[in-house]
Amino acid sequence: MTGSYNKSMNHPSIESISNELRYMPLKAPFVTARGRTETARSVVVEMRASDGFVGYGAVTPAPYVTGETVDDVAASLTEMAEACAGADVWDHSGLFARLARDFPNAHAARAGLEIAVMDIFGQSIRQPLWRHWGARRTEVVTDLTVPINTLDEARAIAAGAAQAGMAHLKIKVDGTDPEASLRRIQVVHEAAPDAGILVDANQSFTAESALAFLAECSRNDLPMSLFEQPVDAKDIEGLVRVAKGSDYPVGADEAVVTPKNCWEVLSAGGVQVVNVKLMKSGIAGSLEIIRMCQEAGVTLMLGCMVESHIGIGAAVHLACGTGAFSYFDLDAPLLLAGDIADGSFELRGDKLIPGERPGLGARLSAASESMRD
């Protein structure tokens, strides 16, 4: 492990990094094949730099994806804060590479720190991050997730989404009950017949059961623009087999955390879609995965955990800046009953529009004080 990283006297340098766990209420419990969430949690990163710059990042870890808990994240951020003292914010690529080397398993924690660094960098060049990354689009349209709930609840969510003009719905299913999963898709499609349908299995099928399920979906003429992560994240062979044998596009999510994971999936035969998430791959890793998939001709999706405005804001800026993504699952703002920050993007229905403040543009909201642990 190295010590602190060198700074340049001509650029903003990191002076301090603190972190604090905040809670956010959900409108309704969020249930997937991996578990149930009733309250969203976010570890907020506050970074202070020379010249008075203050940058924010946020971490919402998913232990089943990166193996990190909120306690792990807090500990990693504290250790990284010491290592980053004095680092040159303009040398963010070098800084991120060194952090990846020194903290290889702190995937989500590094993501939160990288967001904060880029926030300060954007402020220092007086540009919003989405413009720094290319300004290739001015908004994104997110789907809305239908969690694992009763059929009546799924029908009500889908009908409400249709009435609101939502263009895309993402249905969570559990592969241990394929018949119930098939019925859920049917019910949602019947309630919102014009919406595009994405289905997320969260690793709950085997390759054999996934192929059988997809064949049944095809026999029932169910529209599905994506079937995401059907098998265990480590079962790359099974994932590729499903992708090759499916009538529907198949996506990798939990199987691709790092650029190395992406290379392994592509080298094994690949999938049609790779889901990029900042909480898995951070800024640096996500940009590298984008490059790899574009070179391989693989379609990209941008997803999220049940995150705060800060994390979603970073994803919106990345999406609008790079213009690299075809699928968007950034619906956390639609699921939260209260958020800890605002300012980095505007939500209009299912559209997310990046702001014009320099950097990320996120600021802790007044309500965030009441959401502390």
Side-chain angles (χ1 to χ4, degrees):
M1 171 101 143
T2 64
S4 60
Y5 305 133
N6 293 331
K7 68 177 180 178
S8 165
M9 295 301 292
N10 300 320
H11 301 151
S13 59
I14 298 173
E15 294 185 342
S16 67
I17 303 172
S18 60
N19 68 85
E20 183 176 36
L21 177 62
R22 306 287 183 92
Y23 288 75
M24 298 170 292
L26 294 173
K27 294 177 181 177
F30 189 78
V31 185
T32 74
R34 305 298 305 188
R36 176 187 178 96
T37 301
E38 296 189 4
T39 304
R41 298 185 294 177
S42 184
V43 181
V44 176
V45 180
E46 184 176 276
M47 178 178 294
R48 295 186 175 273
S50 58
D51 298 331
F53 294 116
V54 179
Y56 290 104
V59 188
T60 299
Y64 73 93
V65 179
T66 67
E68 297 164 271
T69 65
V70 290
D71 290 338
D72 295 329
V73 166
S76 295
L77 286 170
T78 299
E79 190 173 359
M80 284 190 283
E82 181 179 350
C84 288
D88 179 359
V89 172
W90 278 44
D91 183 25
H92 46 79
S93 295
L95 173 60
F96 297 165
R98 291 187 290 269
L99 289 173
R101 179 195 66 203
D102 294 345
F103 301 89
N105 298 317
H107 305 282
R110 281 191 284 109
L113 191 145
E114 289 180 7
I115 292 169
V117 168
M118 292 309 299
D119 187 9
I120 290 176
F121 174 76
Q123 293 175 55
S124 74
I125 63 172
R126 297 178 175 83
Q127 240 188 356
L129 288 176
W130 70 282
R131 292 197 179 279
H132 164 68
W133 280 320
R136 290 175 175 84
R137 59 191 307 162
T138 58
E139 66 180 32
V140 297
V141 178
T142 184
D143 62 23
L144 175 66
T145 300
V146 181
I148 295 177
N149 48 21
T150 69
L151 290 181
D152 285 342
E153 290 170 328
R155 184 180 293 108
I157 291 173
Q163 186 174 11
M166 298 285 296
H168 307 281
L169 293 172
K170 180 175 178 178
I171 307 169
K172 295 287 189 177
V173 298
D174 187 346
T176 63
D177 193 346
E179 289 186 11
S181 296
L182 182 69
R183 183 59 184 147
R184 286 178 57 74
I185 299 171
Q186 291 172 326
V187 163
V188 169
H189 177 52
E190 289 165 2
D194 296 328
I197 298 295
L198 297 79
V199 176
D200 188 1
N202 287 119
Q203 309 179 68
S204 58
F205 287 84
T206 64
E208 292 76 14
S209 66
L211 287 168
F213 176 74
L214 290 170
E216 192 65 22
C217 289
S218 184
R219 278 192 291 271
N220 283 272
D221 293 321
L222 291 179
M224 190 189 310
S225 60
L226 178 65
F227 187 55
E228 190 180 345
Q229 196 60 52
V231 301
D232 187 275
K234 296 180 181 178
D235 186 9
I236 302 302
E237 180 183 353
L239 177 63
V240 171
R241 183 148 61 94
V242 176
K244 289 185 178 300
S246 171
D247 292 336
Y248 302 98
V250 172
D253 180 2
E254 292 94 333
V256 176
V257 174
T258 66
K260 180 183 177 182
N261 296 151
C262 186
W263 179 86
E264 291 168 345
V265 170
L266 297 178
S267 297
V271 290
Q272 288 81 16
V273 180
V274 168
N275 187 348
V276 175
K277 292 178 179 173
L278 293 181
M279 290 301 105
K280 295 187 301 181
S281 311
I283 299 291
S286 294
L287 289 170
E288 178 63 11
I289 291 170
I290 289 170
R291 183 193 64 78
M292 294 170 69
C293 288
Q294 288 179 328
E295 289 181 355
V298 173
T299 300
L300 287 157
M301 176 179 185
L302 186 60
C304 67
M305 310 305 181
V306 187
E307 299 177 46
S308 73
H309 179 96
I310 298 170
I312 298 299
V316 171
H317 280 252
L318 183 69
C320 289
T322 64
F325 302 94
S326 300
Y327 298 88
F328 301 96
D329 180 33
L330 302 176
D331 63 341
L334 300 173
L335 306 176
L336 294 174
D339 210 325
I340 61 173
D342 56 29
S344 69
F345 66 89
E346 180 183 354
L347 179 66
R348 297 181 191 170
D350 57 358
K351 295 181 176 62
L352 298 97
I353 303 161
E356 292 290 353
R357 291 178 178 172
L360 182 60
R363 299 292 182 266
L364 294 181
S365 63
S368 70
E369 290 298 319
S370 64
M371 296 179 195
R372 293 186 180 185
D373 184 17

